[in-house]
Amino acid sequence: MAIALFILAGFLVGGVIQLIKSGATKFSVGLVGVLAALAVAGGIAWLLPGDN
């Protein structure tokens, strides 16, 4: 599952780059950026050891 979250984060970071290049609103860039950060955080959290 962690790999899927990291792949999703990669797509979202690419989306942020394209949004910036196309001159999109700061809100849309920020929203996609926050979603990318959440995907990375979820991937890292999934890798952390813990009780299952």
Side-chain angles (χ1 to χ4, degrees):
M1 185 63 169
I3 293 175
L5 288 170
F6 288 131
I7 291 170
L8 175 64
F11 281 119
L12 289 171
V13 168
V16 167
I17 293 168
Q18 289 302 316
L19 285 170
I20 291 170
K21 285 183 179 180
S22 68
T25 63
K26 289 185 186 283
F27 175 76
S28 61
V29 172
L31 180 65
V32 177
V34 167
L35 290 174
L38 286 173
V40 169
I44 291 171
W46 200 275
L47 290 176
L48 294 177
D51 296 337
N52 288 334

